[in-house]
Amino acid sequence: QTFGIGQLNPLTALQMSDLVARVSGLPKLDHRDPQAVYKTIMDPDSTLPYVAATLKKAIDSYSSIAGFDISGNPGLTATLYNVGDPEGRARALRAENDRLATQGQPPRLPEENYYGWLVNDRLADLETLF
């Protein structure tokens, strides 16, 4: 289940805790203190660094694993945030592209889902809001 404005689940917040603490100076979350985890997820002011860390992880995974810079495509990052497991998806894309390369075919590019398409389609509206 996901909670709060960022629709984070507790496991994702815990996984991002080291990065968030290193970059922001916020205290690390601890699985032995579930109340603090849920409070962090539910509070819009404290959850945003975890949302940002999750997006950074997706961007970094696609760069280092699959060889694609997706940092300029909000639809792709939104898709990965929406569906999860960016590292696994980057590995699968890399494996598929390695296979395609051995067959002399062009690589498959990362694709956004409908949610990601909608983000890209409405990007000007979203930028106005923010």
Side-chain angles (χ1 to χ4, degrees), residues 17-39:
S17 185
D18 288 341
L19 177 59
V20 168
R22 186 172 59 250
V23 172
S24 71
L26 293 171
K28 290 183 183 181
L29 296 176
D30 188 326
H31 70 280
R32 293 168 294 202
D33 188 359
Q35 293 301 325
V37 174
Y38 283 101
K39 181 181 181 304

Side-chain angles (χ1 to χ4, degrees), residues 56-68 86-88 90-91:
K56 179 173 177 23
K57 182 177 180 179
I59 291 167
D60 291 350
S61 294
Y62 265 68
S63 178
S64 66
I65 297 170
F68 288 100
E87 290 175 324
R91 281 191 298 274

Side-chain angles (χ1 to χ4, degrees), residues 7 19-20 22 24 27 39 42 46 49 60 69-70 78 114 125:
Q7 288 299 289
L19 177 59
V20 168
R22 186 172 59 250
S24 71
K39 181 181 181 304
M42 295 303 291
S46 62
D60 291 350
D69 178 6
I70 64 168
Y114 179 75
D125 297 331

Side-chain angles (χ1 to χ4, degrees), residues 3 5 10 15 24-25 28 32 37 39-40 46 68 73 83 85 87 90 100 107 111 121:
F3 304 93
I5 191 170
Q15 290 172 330
S24 71
K28 290 183 183 181
R32 293 168 294 202
V37 174
K39 181 181 181 304
T40 298
S46 62
F68 288 100
N73 189 329
V83 298
D85 190 23
E87 290 175 324
L100 290 170
E111 298 176 10
D121 187 62

